[in-house]
Amino acid sequence: MRSTHSGYTRLSKVHKISAAGLGAAGAAAVAFAMVSGGPAAADVQSVGVKPVAFDAKSFKTDADQGELAKQADEAAAQAKAQVQQKTDRAGEQAASRSTERKPVKAAAPAPKAYGNDLDGWINQALDIMRAKGIPGSYEGIKRNVLRESTGNPQAINDWDVNAVNGVPSKGLLQIIDPTFKAFHVDGTSWDIYDPVANIVASCNYAAKTYGSMDNVNSAY
């Protein structure tokens, strides 16, 4: 006879067979224990074991399973969306930090080194002269330096007409104090014996008077 229980009618054939088998097995076990009269029978009787009622609601229908699958999909989609939101925020923050960073200024180049000798003095003087637009060449400067002072920055002429007049010629290119001060170039020392300052001021004077130190071949 078919049961009128609403849940039972939805059970599959396999479920029905399994439930029937479990019920039969349980009944057989109880009957055996009671017939044998052993401790098991007493235990069964004392605890009042009742047949386990079958609950058809414990089995999920196809509709229930579909609803669970739908909920699982929605939960997975929400989790994925949250992860994406966190990733987007992290990217925006990184971009913001990158924009806020100020560009790093390039380090200033190290100053050019010059030797503390005639070659170094002439090359340093030439760099200053180029920046100031004063003409002159390495060869023209060196030729006049060797003739005027033999390369001694402390040389002083104490016998010519300038010396007689109280303004002796001084330094590498034997320039007098009034001329040195008049043609002194900004950025150089005011010491007439400073080799670089002496060369630059003398070349500035020669450029105004002779066009360039290269055009000077004797006392000037």
Side-chain angles (χ1 to χ4, degrees), residues 118-175:
L118 182 58
D119 180 73
W121 301 331
I122 294 175
N123 282 316
Q124 186 174 356
L126 283 170
D127 284 343
I128 296 172
M129 290 165 59
R130 292 188 190 99
K132 301 294 184 178
I134 302 171
S137 68
Y138 181 93
E139 291 76 13
I141 294 172
K142 186 174 183 178
R143 182 183 70 246
N144 282 284
V145 165
L146 293 177
R147 187 189 67 252
E148 293 290 337
S149 66
T150 66
N152 177 12
Q154 298 298 319
I156 181 171
N157 186 322
D158 57 3
W159 56 267
D160 66 2
V161 65
N162 289 321
V164 172
N165 293 330
V167 284
S169 301
K170 301 173 181 178
L172 288 177
L173 283 169
Q174 292 293 283
I175 189 173

Side-chain angles (χ1 to χ4, degrees), residues 40-66:
D43 292 341
V44 170
Q45 292 175 354
S46 63
V47 298
V49 176
K50 295 181 179 180
V52 178
F54 175 76
D55 185 4
K57 293 182 180 179
S58 62
F59 290 90
K60 299 296 183 180
T61 65
D62 293 342
D64 293 335
Q65 292 176 355

Side-chain angles (χ1 to χ4, degrees), residues 24-36 40-41 44-45 49-51:
V30 172
F32 176 78
M34 295 180 66
V35 171
S36 62
V44 170
Q45 292 175 354
V49 176
K50 295 181 179 180

Side-chain angles (χ1 to χ4, degrees), residues 91-123:
E92 292 173 357
Q93 291 174 354
S96 177
R97 288 194 298 270
S98 178
T99 303
E100 292 172 357
R101 291 194 186 102
K102 295 182 179 180
V104 178
K105 294 183 179 180
K112 187 176 180 180
Y114 301 95
N116 189 27
D117 52 19
L118 182 58
D119 180 73
W121 301 331
I122 294 175
N123 282 316

